[in-house]
Amino acid sequence: MAYTTINKSTDYFNTVTFTGNGSLPRAITGVGHQPDFVWLKDRDTAYNHQLYDIVRGTSAGVLYSNTSSAEDSTYQMSSFDSDEYTMGSQMGAVNENNKKIVSWNWKAGGGQGSSNTDGSINTTYTSVNTTAGFSISTYTGTGSNATIGHGLGVAPKIVIVKNRTVTKSWGMYNKNIGAGNYLALDTTATTASTSTLWNSTDPTNTVFSIGTSGWTNASGQNYVAYCFAEKAGYSKFGSYTGNGNADGTFVYTGFKPTMLILKNTQTAKDWNIWDTKRDLSNGAKHLLYVSLNNAESSSTAYLDILSNGFKLRDTNNKWNSAENFIYMAFGQSLVGSNNVPCTAR
């Protein structure tokens, strides 16, 4: 069988760790691609997660994954460049001297993009990477049921929308829980039902649907949407049932994950993040929470990251009870001409 190296975790997603030096502006180099979506967290201190993207632009400000706050223009990214990003002069919470920092970085279209007119609401800008299955869009709500073009050419399994104008939670559409339900990225809340976020309509190859909720579509308010479609050997957005045992559930992804986000959908628990840059061995020991500003916590091993998936090694019901969980995994693999991943690295 012939295999082709995709190297998607290098070209389209990468985790970078660095130590703060207290000096700003500061360029963070060696990302491996143009970082169009940058998510930063101080690992040592209880500071907010900071999220920036090229579509909202350098003048737009920061969003915080762990709060429902509106966009904060106090903190701004200075630039997004070919292999780096430059932090602006006010971004001290992710560059304090001698503090350990992590950033997760995705490549969309390599620029701000242009308006997508596939939906009933035209986006202000949409930046798309169809190869990696990732797009970023901004739009203005109407208050009426509507559709938004995502540009991916295939239906996304994950859509994350944030109101930029006023305080509203982060709304997540997830194929595994259905379009009549939602999760909130900034809270511990379980799966909840409503038709007002996604109009009870799954995304299509061209658009995702929004209802009348202020989380996704208040009249005259500004929004950003991050859309993710699965790509063999690079990304997987699935679900699993835990077993509450230290010899926990194995979850097959078809590649070695380099980043994992997990959430219990049945019990109110935090969102969890692991990656292989903070843990260079198979055992994922260093944990951050999407929904909390907590400093990094550590254990002997919460889970094993393997060549073709991950295996739970802890009985905590944040990720391994006899309940349902959803996950987002990004990684790197070899994919053959028959689209079957080769898991050996």
Side-chain angles (χ1 to χ4, degrees):
M1 181 185 296
Y3 291 96
T4 302
T5 303
I6 308 180
N7 289 326
K8 287 182 179 174
S9 65
T10 299
D11 292 342
Y12 305 128
F13 170 78
N14 201 6
T15 302
V16 174
T17 57
F18 62 93
T19 302
N21 64 12
S23 178
L24 291 167
R26 181 185 179 185
I28 303 301
T29 62
V31 176
H33 58 78
Q34 176 164 313
D36 297 326
F37 175 33
V38 179
W39 180 339
L40 292 128
K41 179 69 177 80
D42 184 315
R43 301 166 58 188
D44 293 329
T45 311
Y47 291 152
N48 289 336
H49 294 253
Q50 296 194 15
L51 282 65
Y52 302 87
D53 66 75
I54 199 169
V55 176
R56 291 184 296 124
T58 54
S59 63
V62 65
L63 290 168
Y64 307 112
S65 71
N66 55 290
T67 81
S68 59
S69 300
E71 192 172 78
D72 182 358
S73 60
T74 305
Y75 309 101
Q76 297 174 344
M77 188 70 72
S78 181
S79 66
F80 302 87
D81 302 303
S82 60
D83 186 41
E84 64 186 52
Y85 56 88
T86 300
M87 298 187 293
S89 59
Q90 302 301 317
M91 291 176 60
V94 284
N95 194 42
E96 285 191 351
N97 196 38
N98 295 322
K99 295 293 182 67
K100 297 191 296 294
I101 313 295
V102 61
S103 75
W104 302 287
N105 310 279
W106 288 261
K107 182 177 180 179
Q112 193 171 43
S114 58
S115 177
N116 182 300
T117 60
D118 291 337
S120 61
I121 296 176
N122 295 340
T123 66
T124 310
Y125 297 103
T126 297
S127 181
V128 186
N129 186 338
T130 55
T131 306
F134 176 53
S135 72
I136 310 168
S137 297
T138 54
Y139 66 91
T140 301
T142 64
S144 301
N145 292 336
T147 56
I148 307 291
H150 53 69
L152 294 174
V154 295
K157 281 198 166 182
I158 303 286
V159 178
I160 302 170
V161 174
K162 180 69 180 77
N163 188 318
R164 303 166 57 192
T165 307
V166 300
T167 297
K168 296 288 182 183
S169 281
W170 292 76
M172 175 188 275
Y173 162 84
N174 188 303
K175 178 68 174 177
N176 299 284
I177 63 173
N181 301 302
Y182 69 93
L183 289 163
L185 205 63
D186 53 297
T187 78
T188 62
T190 61
T191 299
S193 299
T194 185
S195 62
T196 62
L197 263 73
W198 317 116
N199 198 23
S200 298
T201 305
D202 288 314
T204 70
N205 290 352
T206 56
V207 300
F208 66 92
S209 294
I210 51 177
T212 58
S213 170
W215 289 25
T216 56
N217 191 22
S219 179
Q221 295 180 0
N222 296 322
Y223 294 85
V224 63
Y226 304 103
C227 298
F228 298 88
E230 280 187 354
K231 294 295 177 177
Y234 166 66
S235 60
K236 185 75 174 176
F237 313 122
S239 64
Y240 67 89
T241 301
N243 63 11
N245 193 302
D247 183 14
T249 301
F250 168 72
V251 182
Y252 178 80
T253 61
F255 56 89
K256 181 176 181 176
T258 61
M259 180 199 190
L260 281 171
I261 300 176
L262 307 182
K263 174 73 174 81
N264 187 325
T265 64
Q266 293 181 261
T267 297
K269 296 295 177 180
D270 291 299
W271 295 77
N272 315 286
I273 307 181
W274 292 273
D275 62 71
T276 57
K277 285 293 177 67
R278 290 180 297 136
D279 285 298
L280 298 178
S281 62
N282 279 348
K285 301 175 183 178
H286 295 90
L287 171 65
L288 287 165
Y289 300 104
V290 177
S291 45
L292 292 174
N293 68 356
N294 292 24
E296 185 176 84
S297 59
S298 60
S299 177
T300 35
Y302 297 105
L303 52 85
D304 289 338
I305 295 177
L306 306 172
S307 64
N308 58 355
F310 59 96
K311 183 174 176 62
L312 303 165
R313 292 294 189 189
D314 185 277
T315 60
N316 194 310
N317 65 357
K318 291 179 180 178
W319 47 80
N320 187 27
S321 54
E323 297 175 288
N324 187 66
F325 298 80
I326 56 98
Y327 68 89
M328 299 176 68
F330 299 90
Q332 179 179 359
S333 187
L334 300 177
V335 174
S337 58
N338 64 351
N339 211 35
V340 176
C342 171
T343 57
R345 292 297 291 163

